[in-house]
Amino acid sequence: MNFQRQNLFVVMVSIVLSWSRVESIRFDLEAGHTKCIADDIKSNSMTVGKYQVVNFNEGLPLPDAHKITIRVTSSNGNNYHYAEHVDRGHFAFQAVEAGDYMACFFAADVKPSTSMTIEFDWKSGVAAKDWTNVAKKGSVAAMEIELKQMHDTVQSIHDEIYYLREREKEMQTLNVSTNSKMAWLSFLSLLVSVSVAGLQLWHLKSFFEKKKLI
């Protein structure tokens, strides 16, 4: 029981830490290539994303070749965001379906070949909510905002734990089914082996009787 509680505590801490990490990522994208980034999003979760081509020459415009095409799709192939020939943009939506969502960036092939750096910030769940704007737009106290944020965090943790428990039940059912099938397979293998051994003994006995060796 204590071991299960420790595991539950570790899971909760891991979830909270994963939500508290909100950092943008940078990656290089070569012309004519595509790079995709996936995020596992639960149903009815809010998700927001912001992307831009990094301009290392401040004050100067980006070259026209430094344009990208981005498409955000669900695991079922539904399109949630699409932008073509842009150097920056953002998206926001509430996930209808649970699963891996994919954000794919494509740079058109140009001559001579070029490479660009993309900065991408993708948040989902509690991290996707703009609490600063909520506080500015409403006349609620700071404590109420903090309590609301804590409530949403706890609710998200509860949903995540429930999701993990359902996955654990599915894995247990699969293990029981697999063990049952393996038991039947072992029994059939043993039955076939005994049958083959019996046939071999019967054949040898018949052979020796014909040769009058026994």
Side-chain angles (χ1 to χ4, degrees), residues 119-130:
E119 186 172 34
F120 184 39
D121 186 8
W122 197 356
K123 308 174 186 176
S124 59
V126 177
K129 296 187 178 181
D130 192 347

Side-chain angles (χ1 to χ4, degrees), residues 57-155:
N57 299 317
E58 295 185 5
L60 298 177
L62 281 169
D64 189 61
H66 285 204
K67 302 291 184 180
I68 58 174
T69 297
I70 176 175
R71 184 188 300 272
V72 181
T73 57
S74 67
S75 57
N76 295 327
N78 295 323
N79 188 28
Y80 281 82
H81 175 74
Y82 178 78
E84 187 176 6
H85 200 65
V86 296
D87 58 15
R88 66 183 63 230
H90 66 276
F91 58 84
F93 60 86
Q94 187 172 9
V96 178
E97 33 193 339
D100 287 333
Y101 283 70
M102 193 81 69
C104 291
F105 298 83
F106 170 73
D109 193 10
V110 293
K111 299 297 183 183
S113 181
T114 183
S115 176
M116 64 194 78
T117 300
I118 311 296
E119 186 172 34
F120 184 39
D121 186 8
W122 197 356
K123 308 174 186 176
S124 59
V126 177
K129 296 187 178 181
D130 192 347
W131 295 101
T132 303
N133 289 337
V134 171
K136 290 179 179 178
K137 293 178 181 179
S139 58
V140 295
M143 182 62 72
E144 293 178 355
I145 292 294
E146 186 175 354
L147 289 175
K148 174 62 176 174
Q149 185 176 8
M150 291 175 61
H151 174 269
D152 284 0
T153 301
V154 172
Q155 184 64 41

Side-chain angles (χ1 to χ4, degrees), residues 8 11 30 36 48 128 134 179 192 199 209 211 213:
L8 179 61
V11 170
E30 296 183 6
C36 296
V48 295
V134 171
N179 290 336
V192 170
L199 289 174
E209 287 179 348
K211 295 297 183 178
L213 297 175

Side-chain angles (χ1 to χ4, degrees), residues 5-210:
R5 289 180 179 177
Q6 291 177 357
N7 285 342
L8 179 61
F9 176 75
V10 171
V11 170
M12 293 178 65
V13 170
S14 300
I15 294 171
V16 173
L17 290 176
S18 65
W19 277 320
S20 62
R21 291 196 305 267
V22 182
E23 300 178 357
S24 60
I25 61 173
R26 284 190 176 188
F27 58 91
D28 294 330
L29 180 63
E30 296 183 6
H33 290 73
T34 300
K35 283 193 175 182
C36 296
I37 298 174
D39 189 14
D40 184 15
I41 302 177
K42 305 298 182 295
S43 60
N44 299 322
S45 293
M46 187 66 187
T47 180
V48 295
K50 183 172 63 176
Y51 54 90
Q52 66 173 356
V53 179
V54 179
N55 188 357
F56 293 102
N57 299 317
E58 295 185 5
L60 298 177
L62 281 169
D64 189 61
H66 285 204
K67 302 291 184 180
I68 58 174
T69 297
I70 176 175
R71 184 188 300 272
V72 181
T73 57
S74 67
S75 57
N76 295 327
N78 295 323
N79 188 28
Y80 281 82
H81 175 74
Y82 178 78
E84 187 176 6
H85 200 65
V86 296
D87 58 15
R88 66 183 63 230
H90 66 276
F91 58 84
F93 60 86
Q94 187 172 9
V96 178
E97 33 193 339
D100 287 333
Y101 283 70
M102 193 81 69
C104 291
F105 298 83
F106 170 73
D109 193 10
V110 293
K111 299 297 183 183
S113 181
T114 183
S115 176
M116 64 194 78
T117 300
I118 311 296
E119 186 172 34
F120 184 39
D121 186 8
W122 197 356
K123 308 174 186 176
S124 59
V126 177
K129 296 187 178 181
D130 192 347
W131 295 101
T132 303
N133 289 337
V134 171
K136 290 179 179 178
K137 293 178 181 179
S139 58
V140 295
M143 182 62 72
E144 293 178 355
I145 292 294
E146 186 175 354
L147 289 175
K148 174 62 176 174
Q149 185 176 8
M150 291 175 61
H151 174 269
D152 284 0
T153 301
V154 172
Q155 184 64 41
S156 299
I157 293 174
H158 175 269
D159 294 341
E160 183 72 18
I161 293 176
Y162 180 80
Y163 171 76
L164 293 175
R165 289 180 61 185
E166 291 298 320
R167 292 293 300 272
E168 183 181 3
K169 289 181 181 179
E170 293 177 2
M171 292 300 298
Q172 288 179 351
T173 302
L174 180 61
N175 288 336
V176 171
S177 177
T178 302
N179 290 336
S180 177
K181 292 179 180 178
M182 290 300 297
W184 276 106
L185 181 60
S186 301
F187 175 75
L188 290 176
S189 300
L190 179 62
L191 182 62
V192 170
S193 299
V194 171
S195 300
V196 171
L199 289 174
Q200 288 178 341
L201 289 175
W202 176 81
H203 177 73
L204 290 174
K205 182 180 179 182
S206 300
F207 175 78
F208 289 142
E209 287 179 348
K210 288 181 179 180

